[in-house]
Amino acid sequence: MPQEATAGRLTVGGTLKDPLPIALHKSTAYVALPDRVQAVDTADGRVLATIAPREEAVRNSAEWDVDDSAQAPAVVPHGDASTLLAPFLVEQSGTGTQADHTAVELTGSDTDSHEVTWRLVLDLPKWAETSLSTLYTRVSGSENGKALVTVWDRTNAITFAVDVGTHKVLWTLDGFWAIGIAAGTAFGATLEDGTAHERVAGHGIVDGRRRWIGTDSFGLSAYSAGPHLIILRGRDYASGEAYHRLVDARTGTTRREMPADLAGADCTYDDRRTLVCSGKGAEGDVAAGLDAGSGEILWQLPDDAADRVAPKVSTAWHGRVYGTTGNGIVALDARTGKDLPTAPAIAPILVNETVGLALDESGDILMAYPTSG
């Protein structure tokens, strides 16, 4: 895979420290850079197409400080079709007495031909023009042909909800940092006047109306945990107490507090029925599988009684958990946690029905491998 796919995202020891700027669709990997997206054929490494904004990008890929600023594009199904969405920060040319200004050029590309079929300019508020810190943009989530595009810096954020089929903006919320979509609800952080205060909130994806809002927090992180659930982690601003919980995206109510053993764990939804969590516990690596509908814990490792250790999970997808232990690469059944009879050749970071992406033995190069079932 192109070196740009991992630039600025690896530690000296060859460990991935930031998410890959890649979306997989069938046999194509879409690799994002600040000023373009490369459509790469994972069968032979050929660049099939380059998707770029019409206006000049705010940053180009040759600049030393933008290696990790690009965020993964998104493949959004709608009806019988699917569209690749890629937002770019651009310098929008002014007309008449209007000065040039920073904007987002959202591109929609056909996933068969990889050609840009439409473009939509999203104008930004004044804080984006005067920001002293790096601006970022990403597709924060999609569901039922609706997508969220978020722009943020260190203290501000704005979110646009877009109908991918009609190419129209449904609503805009300045001060809302959208993180994802679940059950028709855009969830994310409502920022309080550029301070460290954050309040997680949920908004209807169609009309943008607020459905619920949480308490003041700091150090907030959130992500989708299945069709209806999200994971929230942070600290209560008043008490300073840490929390890590599964929350119903539709109402903001807590389904369960995460067990203490999984307090530092990160979780991955397998896009089927299971949430797989792994991380460092008090006594070493831990891993667990939770039902993505109810939050019930299905299995947990290590299991001293069965003499089983916990893997370091690389990802989970469609009922399989991939990872490594001291004995090598393993694959587990996501519902039971049991070892699958045939271990895979790699522990992929990203995987779909066609290809798995993993670092080579040196930890420096991202390789593409065909999947087998």
Side-chain angles (χ1 to χ4, degrees):
M1 294 294 294
Q3 291 184 340
E4 294 91 340
T6 56
R9 299 169 196 268
L10 298 175
T11 65
V12 175
T15 301
L16 191 69
K17 62 184 179 67
D18 291 306
L20 293 174
I22 297 174
L24 293 179
H25 180 67
K26 298 181 180 178
S27 61
T28 303
Y30 294 99
V31 182
L33 300 166
D35 54 1
R36 65 189 187 276
V37 171
Q38 293 179 325
V40 178
D41 188 331
T42 58
D44 55 20
R46 286 182 302 126
V47 176
L48 302 172
T50 298
I51 299 162
R54 183 172 292 152
E55 300 286 346
E56 183 178 355
V58 169
R59 296 186 295 278
N60 68 68
S61 305
E63 296 175 25
W64 67 270
D65 60 343
V66 298
D67 284 346
D68 60 354
S69 66
Q71 308 289 310
V75 176
V76 181
H78 53 98
D80 296 328
S82 61
T83 295
L84 179 83
L85 286 189
F88 298 95
L89 289 165
V90 298
E91 292 294 342
Q92 180 75 10
S93 300
T95 58
T97 59
Q98 185 183 26
D100 295 352
H101 61 283
T102 302
V104 171
E105 185 178 321
L106 180 64
T107 60
S109 303
D110 183 88
T111 52
D112 291 324
S113 67
H114 315 301
E115 294 181 355
V116 177
T117 56
W118 56 271
R119 301 174 189 269
L120 181 63
V121 175
L122 307 174
D123 290 322
L124 299 177
K126 288 185 177 179
W127 62 257
E129 197 70 41
T130 59
S131 176
L132 298 178
S133 58
T134 301
L135 283 179
Y136 298 88
T137 185
R138 67 187 286 257
V139 178
S140 301
S142 65
E143 185 180 79
N144 296 329
K146 312 295 190 299
L148 300 173
V149 178
T150 304
V151 179
W152 73 97
D153 66 5
R154 191 173 298 171
T155 55
N156 300 281
I158 186 170
T159 294
F160 305 85
V162 176
D163 187 304
V164 178
T166 63
H167 324 151
K168 292 182 179 179
V169 175
L170 299 172
W171 48 266
T172 304
L173 278 178
D174 196 3
F176 180 59
W177 178 35
I179 300 172
I181 300 176
T185 305
F187 63 90
T190 296
L191 307 181
E192 302 288 339
D193 300 324
T195 70
H197 294 246
E198 301 170 331
R199 302 182 73 183
V200 67
H203 294 261
I205 187 59
V206 174
D207 56 18
R209 291 185 181 179
R210 182 180 290 169
R211 293 182 172 179
W212 54 270
I213 190 166
T215 58
D216 274 2
S217 300
F218 62 94
L220 179 69
S221 65
Y223 49 93
S224 177
H228 305 293
L229 299 180
I230 59 178
I231 283 186
L232 298 182
R233 180 191 290 160
R235 289 185 176 274
D236 183 86
Y237 194 83
S239 67
E241 292 184 0
Y243 60 83
H244 188 196
R245 55 183 63 126
L246 275 172
V247 171
D248 191 312
R250 298 163 292 190
T251 63
T253 55
T254 299
R255 284 285 189 90
R256 71 167 301 144
E257 298 289 342
M258 295 293 282
D261 288 348
L262 300 176
D266 292 318
C267 302
T268 301
Y269 175 47
D270 78 340
D271 205 30
R272 281 279 173 86
R273 296 188 297 155
T274 311
L275 184 68
V276 178
C277 303
S278 69
K280 283 286 185 182
E283 298 182 3
D285 293 328
V286 295
L290 288 73
D291 185 84
S294 65
E296 174 191 359
I297 295 180
L298 304 172
W299 54 270
Q300 189 166 339
L301 294 172
D303 183 346
D304 293 337
D307 196 25
R308 297 184 67 208
V309 298
K312 293 181 179 178
V313 174
S314 62
T315 194
W317 191 75
H318 283 204
R320 290 189 176 191
V321 182
Y322 299 93
T324 57
T325 69
N327 300 319
I329 296 169
V330 296
L332 311 181
D333 184 298
R335 298 299 292 178
T336 66
K338 294 181 178 179
D339 291 316
L340 294 175
T342 303
I346 60 165
I349 301 168
L350 288 177
V351 65
N352 67 4
E353 71 281 1
T354 304
V355 63
L357 302 183
L359 294 171
D360 70 348
E361 292 184 1
S362 70
D364 297 328
I365 301 173
L366 187 68
M367 304 289 291
Y369 301 82
T371 58
S372 56

